[in-house]
Amino acid sequence: MTFVAIVPAGGAGTRLWPLSRRSHPKFLIDMTGAGRTLIQATADRLEPLVDDLIVVTGSAHAEAVAEQLGIDREDLVIEPSPRGTMPAIGLVAAIVEQRYGADAVVGSFAADHVITDAAAFQGAVRRAIDAAQEGLVVTVGITPTGPDTGFGYIRQGTETSVDGVFGVEEFLEKPDLATAAAYVESGEYTWNAGMFIAKAGVLLDALARYKPDLAAGLRSIAARWDGPDRGEAMSAWDSLEISVIDRAIAEPLAAEGGVATVPVSMGWSDIGGYDSLAAHLVDPESGISRGGARQSVMVSESEGSVVYAHDRPIVIHGIPGAVVVDSGDVILVTTREASSGLSGVVTGLTGDLEPLR
Amino acid sequence: MTFVAIVPAGGAGTRLWPLSRRSHPKFLIDMTGAGRTLIQATADRLEPLVDDLIVVTGSAHAEAVAEQLGIDREDLVIEPSPRGTMPAIGLVAAIVEQRYGADAVVGSFAADHVITDAAAFQGAVRRAIDAAQEGLVVTVGITPTGPDTGFGYIRQGTETSVDGVFGVEEFLEKPDLATAAAYVESGEYTWNAGMFIAKAGVLLDALARYKPDLAAGLRSIAARWDGPDRGEAMSAWDSLEISVIDRAIAEPLAAEGGVATVPVSMGWSDIGGYDSLAAHLVDPESGISRGGARQSVMVSESEGSVVYAHDRPIVIHGIPGAVVVDSGDVILVTTREASSGLSGVVTGLTGDLEPLR
């Protein structure tokens, strides 16, 4: 069996500005102080599982991705323009189908998530691969740690023939708080982290049923990918339909019983903002969340603060939940609560400080 | 008539840390962005009035004071140890008495106050000098802008023979808020800013009545000041009684009817902390209080914030009354309200960051 990881490295969001910005989005940064950038940590986690790993990214970050992963730029799939997750994942699936055959299994894993329990992740992916070999499209579902309203949910059904893999009854949009609480209470729902594992042929055949033009377009590009015409083939990219894999395949196929899920607890976070980043930065000595340089930081009467130091000490007094980020070229001062509204503040910035939109 | 200004340059307080600290107290800093340090601005304001200006300071800051004012170190009065305002002001008065005679008028003006209306200040001092020549000890009283509980108050009586100069009935300690409000409401009270103007002989003769040993000690040092024995004469300094001019002279002399006051509105502040500094930093363009370098500063949902930038832009979001100070070697993040409790936070710091106690 051949297993190829697809790693979409893109994404938007101003909520982690100025750490994450247009010139260096969070997947290129060591956000948690682990010593590896998020995309390096993603590759590290997948390394024991994969025969190949293909990153899909924009041209702006291709050079940095290639350098951080120690690969050639030609081994990347570079999107001429962002068209959503379906064309990105679908093109790599089609390339894998060409190279390794329709039975090769692909799995998509975002480049900017944090997973603290790599062994649990690898176990879940192995079970997902087993179920994918049965012809299912399999998603990894995150066991909720609370009634979060920022994620879509997966309602799971009965166990499949593969241990620990369950049918998916439905994908649900981001709920309100009461609904989220009911989901979590029931124990039948997990968070949709956007990880899909399937045979390349299964994925593309499903797409061919729901969006035949898109599937044909992707397979046509893939047929010329590993040859002299790659550039010309990609000229068709900008005419492909913009779509996301959840809408294009996962939801309609789940309604037909073709999707399964592996629920897992693995310390997952998409670190969408300073509030969710905080949990990954708690310094046991100080009790506060610390990132950045090993500068002296003093915090008083400011419980739950998040601090990124650069080249000078930081003193915080009397602001619970403060967020203070010295990125070296700019200083952000806000609170965990207020930081969700950061977009409107920094959206007009240009040059080096331009946020990732 | 000879008029000599006495400028005590000392003072303590951690509430403006890290701008003001042991190695560079606030009188050595351009706190308001006016282009002059506070002691330079003090000298500038006095320049049209004085025949001479004598600074009293500790040895730690003598060099910086001399350099900032463009004077010789020998022209300073350097205190071997801090013993309160009475010995400091009294010694300079005794030196002036020796040099210019007992009828020369002296006036003491702290080096670290802000006065925005220099013309009003100069007019008030001129009236005070007139009254001092009548043999009174005259204090400049600040017309209150609100019921501040951080200052002592002066209760004024009837007008003296000098226009705009009133008898002082009583000096009052820092009041509680209700008392302060009643003072302000009555229109008969001003803030005591510690500025005293009197003939050198009048001041020392009054001191000789209340504290004869101290007066004799000061006159004895002064007699040898302008000669080869200055150093030896100052060896008596550390045995002088520690005292402040308000207690030593102003209060008992007021009870005898020997003190007068000139009430004045002149945009005065002792900028005791970030809250009172804020009013002197309001940038009409941004509406926020800005000091430090001309760096870009963005403030949203943070009304009344105080920002000192250094070498990088600062973005503040969602913290009303925020205080963000980048001094170049340390970053302070607090609020105007919480900043009054800064002492307890920074008191343990040593080295360059050591606060002024």
Side-chain angles (χ1 to χ4, degrees):
Chain A
M1 190 278 304
T2 301
F3 179 59
V4 179
I6 305 169
V7 177
T14 55
R15 286 185 299 159
L16 284 170
W17 184 93
L19 298 176
S20 179
R21 60 182 94 170
R22 193 169 175 282
S23 56
H24 45 91
K26 64 179 172 180
F27 61 81
L28 294 176
I29 307 173
D30 176 11
M31 294 293 287
T32 65
R36 302 285 278 169
T37 68
L38 293 184
I39 196 170
Q40 286 174 327
T42 302
D44 292 347
R45 268 195 305 275
L46 288 162
E47 205 280 327
L49 302 171
V50 300
D51 298 290
D52 198 356
L53 181 149
I54 300 176
V55 177
V56 192
T57 192
S59 59
H61 305 122
E63 210 60 50
V65 167
E67 193 190 318
Q68 287 197 3
L69 298 183
I71 58 179
D72 288 340
R73 194 182 156 105
E74 294 79 60
D75 293 335
L76 302 172
V77 171
I78 300 174
E79 298 168 291
S81 64
R83 307 199 74 73
T85 53
M86 189 66 253
I89 294 168
L91 176 57
V92 183
I95 292 168
V96 169
E97 188 182 46
Q98 282 284 330
R99 287 186 188 162
Y100 303 100
D103 284 344
V105 176
V106 294
S108 72
F109 306 93
D112 57 2
H113 292 177
V114 168
I115 292 168
T116 52
D117 186 347
F121 166 76
Q122 288 153 358
V125 174
R126 283 198 180 94
R127 285 195 296 283
I129 292 170
D130 288 345
Q133 288 185 297
E134 308 289 312
L136 292 163
V137 171
V138 189
T139 182
V140 175
I142 313 295
T143 306
T145 55
D148 203 300
T149 59
F151 303 123
Y153 282 70
I154 298 165
R155 179 151 63 94
Q156 69 188 48
T158 52
E159 199 161 11
T160 66
S161 59
V162 181
D163 268 4
V165 181
F166 298 79
V168 167
E169 304 217 328
E170 200 178 357
F171 287 92
L172 298 127
E173 297 293 319
K174 294 173 185 176
D176 60 27
L177 188 62
T179 309
Y183 289 171
V184 173
E185 174 74 17
S186 77
E188 294 167 5
Y189 295 77
T190 54
W191 291 336
N192 178 7
M195 303 178 194
F196 292 98
I197 295 97
K199 284 185 183 176
V202 166
L203 204 68
L204 289 160
D205 289 349
L207 184 64
R209 285 199 291 127
Y210 303 124
K211 295 189 182 288
D213 290 351
L214 180 54
L218 293 170
R219 277 173 159 154
S220 162
I221 295 172
R224 297 197 284 167
W225 187 261
D226 289 323
D229 297 340
R230 180 189 293 188
E232 198 191 316
M234 276 300 266
S235 65
W237 178 265
D238 287 342
S239 60
L240 296 177
E241 182 184 340
I242 292 177
S243 56
V244 296
I245 190 169
D246 300 72
R247 290 309 95 65
I249 292 181
E251 291 174 11
L253 193 62
E256 297 177 19
V259 183
T261 186
V262 184
V264 64
S265 290
M266 56 186 184
W268 172 89
S269 171
D270 70 347
I271 48 172
Y274 287 107
D275 204 40
S276 54
L277 177 60
H280 293 278
L281 294 175
V282 178
D283 171 21
E285 267 180 58
S286 64
I288 57 161
S289 296
R290 293 202 47 176
R294 295 290 91 190
Q295 274 291 334
S296 158
V297 169
M298 288 173 57
V299 173
S300 93
E301 298 177 30
S302 305
E303 308 71 40
S305 289
V306 182
V307 191
Y308 261 79
H310 186 72
D311 59 352
R312 51 199 69 164
I314 297 175
V315 175
I316 305 174
H317 173 61
I319 306 179
V323 173
V324 179
V325 181
D326 179 3
S327 66
D329 59 355
V330 65
I331 298 166
L332 169 69
V333 176
T334 183
T335 62
R336 287 168 68 165
E337 198 179 342
S339 66
S340 60
L342 205 54
S343 306
V345 183
V346 302
T347 195
L349 294 173
T350 55
D352 285 348
L353 296 182
E354 185 171 335
L356 187 68
R357 287 191 186 83
Chain B
M1 191 278 301
T2 301
F3 178 58
V4 180
I6 306 169
V7 176
T14 54
R15 286 184 300 159
L16 284 171
W17 185 94
L19 298 176
S20 180
R21 62 181 93 167
R22 193 168 174 283
S23 56
H24 46 90
K26 64 179 173 179
F27 61 82
L28 294 176
I29 306 173
D30 175 11
M31 293 293 287
T32 66
R36 302 285 278 167
T37 68
L38 293 184
I39 196 168
Q40 286 175 327
T42 301
D44 292 348
R45 268 195 305 276
L46 289 163
E47 204 280 326
L49 301 172
V50 300
D51 299 291
D52 199 358
L53 182 149
I54 300 176
V55 177
V56 192
T57 192
S59 59
H61 306 121
E63 211 59 50
V65 167
E67 192 189 318
Q68 288 197 2
L69 298 183
I71 57 179
D72 287 341
R73 195 184 157 105
E74 292 78 60
D75 294 335
L76 302 172
V77 171
I78 299 174
E79 299 168 292
S81 64
R83 306 198 76 72
T85 54
M86 189 66 253
I89 294 167
L91 175 58
V92 183
I95 292 168
V96 169
E97 189 182 42
Q98 282 285 330
R99 286 185 189 164
Y100 303 100
D103 284 345
V105 176
V106 295
S108 70
F109 306 94
D112 57 1
H113 292 179
V114 168
I115 293 169
T116 53
D117 187 346
F121 166 74
Q122 288 153 0
V125 174
R126 283 198 180 94
R127 285 194 296 283
I129 291 169
D130 288 346
Q133 289 185 296
E134 307 289 314
L136 292 163
V137 171
V138 190
T139 181
V140 175
I142 313 296
T143 305
T145 55
D148 203 299
T149 59
F151 303 124
Y153 283 68
I154 299 165
R155 179 150 63 93
Q156 69 188 47
T158 53
E159 199 161 10
T160 66
S161 59
V162 182
D163 268 5
V165 181
F166 298 79
V168 168
E169 304 217 328
E170 201 178 355
F171 288 92
L172 299 126
E173 298 292 319
K174 295 175 186 176
D176 60 29
L177 187 61
T179 308
Y183 288 170
V184 174
E185 175 74 20
S186 77
E188 295 167 5
Y189 294 78
T190 53
W191 291 336
N192 179 8
M195 303 178 194
F196 292 99
I197 295 98
K199 285 185 183 176
V202 167
L203 204 69
L204 289 160
D205 289 349
L207 185 63
R209 287 198 291 127
Y210 303 126
K211 294 189 182 289
D213 290 351
L214 180 53
L218 294 170
R219 278 173 159 153
S220 163
I221 296 173
R224 297 197 282 167
W225 187 262
D226 289 323
D229 297 340
R230 180 189 293 186
E232 198 191 316
M234 277 300 267
S235 65
W237 177 266
D238 286 342
S239 60
L240 296 177
E241 182 184 341
I242 292 177
S243 56
V244 295
I245 189 169
D246 300 73
R247 290 309 96 67
I249 293 181
E251 291 173 10
L253 194 61
E256 297 177 18
V259 183
T261 185
V262 184
V264 64
S265 290
M266 55 185 185
W268 172 88
S269 172
D270 69 346
I271 49 172
Y274 288 107
D275 204 39
S276 55
L277 177 60
H280 293 278
L281 295 175
V282 178
D283 171 20
E285 268 182 60
S286 64
I288 57 159
S289 296
R290 291 200 48 177
R294 294 291 89 189
Q295 275 292 336
S296 159
V297 168
M298 290 174 59
V299 173
S300 95
E301 299 176 29
S302 305
E303 308 73 38
S305 290
V306 182
V307 191
Y308 262 79
H310 186 74
D311 59 353
R312 52 199 68 162
I314 296 176
V315 175
I316 304 175
H317 174 59
I319 306 180
V323 172
V324 179
V325 180
D326 179 3
S327 65
D329 58 355
V330 65
I331 298 166
L332 169 69
V333 177
T334 182
T335 63
R336 287 168 67 164
E337 199 181 340
S339 67
S340 61
L342 205 52
S343 305
V345 183
V346 301
T347 197
L349 293 174
T350 54
D352 286 346
L353 296 182
E354 185 172 333
L356 187 67
R357 286 191 189 83

